[in-house]
Every structure is written in C-alpha cells, then in structure tokens.
Amino acid sequence: SEAAVLGKGSNGTVVYRGMHSQWGLVAVKVVDAQRVPQYRTDREQTLLILKLADESGIGSDNVIKYRCRVDDEEGGRLMLGMELCECSLHQLITDRKLRPTPQQQHRVACELCEALSFLHSHQIVHRDVRPRNILFKTNDFDGTVKLTDFGLSKEIATDDADQGFSTTTVQTGGEEIAS
C-alpha cells in the first residue's frame, strides 16, 4: 500500500516499511532487477551485509544496518532488508520545511562525519552523500543519523597507489588553484 512506502529512488526502486520475523520492523528496498545494474545491488550486499554487518566502533551506529537479501527471480526483483528509519534530511527540509537549530546542525554534521570516517576506515568511499541518503531514526532532527544507499559506493584497495583520484590544476594570474 502507499502508506507503507517510505521512499522512491531511481530506476523504479521503492523502499517499504515491512516486518521481519527476526528483526521486527524493517525497511525493505525493492529493486527492479531488470532496470538496476547487478553490480550496484551486489556492491550493496557485499559491502554492507557481508563486510560491515557485525563491525562496531565510532561511526558504525551512523551507517544503516543491512539485514538480509532475497532474490525474487519470478518477479524480477531483489529485496534488501535493512534497519528502519523514519525520514530523510531531504524530507525534513524540503517537504516539511523544518529548520534545525544550530545544536542540531552540529550534531548531524558530527554524526555524518563519524559515519564517513567509519566507512573510510574500512576502505569504503560512499560517493553519493546527499540529503536523500541521510536518514534519521525518528521523525525529526533529534534522531540518530544514518547514512544509506551504497549503490554507488566503492571499496578501495589499500595496496593500490592509484585510486583513480585526480585533480585539475587551473592557473590564474600567477596563482594555482587545484580543484
């Protein structure tokens, strides 16, 4: 039902509120396997379900916990079960027109930095940090921040000196600016 829809993404991806026998209330990301490249869904499963599911440490509480994967081959869908959150930063600011207090802004920024630091310590680069991918456990700015959607993320090899990072140098009137 529409009441169970938590959000919609690209390529027909929809996230629903659901119930899991082991974890209780969960979010269920339903991916149209015909429209979303297999490597993107495999990346989410490999990095989050297999690699980070049992990791702990500073920032681990700020990365969404993925619980399970179910392939519905008949329906051409993939379902990823994950920790349930109530809203995104985008929904709070754009849809509800709410504004965080300076204290809330500080806490959200700190928790987001902790999430990114945690990922980086595990050689994972998110590559899609934006308001729609910053979730809250509650329906307001006071809930725990959770970073989600790892379809564009990348695991980097620590022994590889060339990580595909590049800069462009622009020279303007004697100054060099790296972008």
Side-chain angles (χ1 to χ4, degrees), residues 16-85:
Y16 297 93
R17 180 184 307 268
M19 180 65 77
H20 189 277
S21 60
Q22 183 178 352
W23 294 292
L25 285 174
V26 293
V28 180
K29 183 176 188 176
V30 180
V31 178
D32 182 341
Q34 306 303 315
R35 294 174 63 188
V36 176
Q38 181 71 35
Y39 68 88
R40 286 187 66 187
T41 55
D42 286 348
R43 182 181 296 142
E44 279 195 277
Q45 178 188 12
T46 301
L47 294 180
L48 296 161
I49 296 174
L50 301 178
K51 184 172 182 176
L52 296 180
D54 297 323
E55 293 293 328
S56 60
I58 294 175
S60 65
D61 288 340
N62 303 111
V63 174
I64 201 79
K65 302 290 189 244
Y66 283 67
R67 306 293 189 199
C68 61
R69 173 183 171 147
V70 175
D71 289 292
D72 175 16
E73 293 178 17
E74 282 183 26
R77 301 178 304 176
L78 163 72
M79 292 171 272
L80 294 170
M82 65 190 89
E83 180 178 11
L84 179 66
C85 290

Side-chain angles (χ1 to χ4, degrees), residues 93-125:
I93 292 173
T94 304
D95 300 343
R96 298 188 199 161
K97 309 282 190 242
L98 298 177
R99 296 293 174 250
T101 66
Q103 294 83 6
Q104 290 169 325
Q105 291 175 27
H106 181 263
R107 186 189 56 78
V108 168
C110 286
E111 289 186 21
L112 184 57
C113 287
E114 287 177 355
L116 292 169
S117 178
F118 173 76
L119 292 172
H120 296 171
S121 73
H122 289 86
Q123 288 73 50
I124 298 171
V125 180

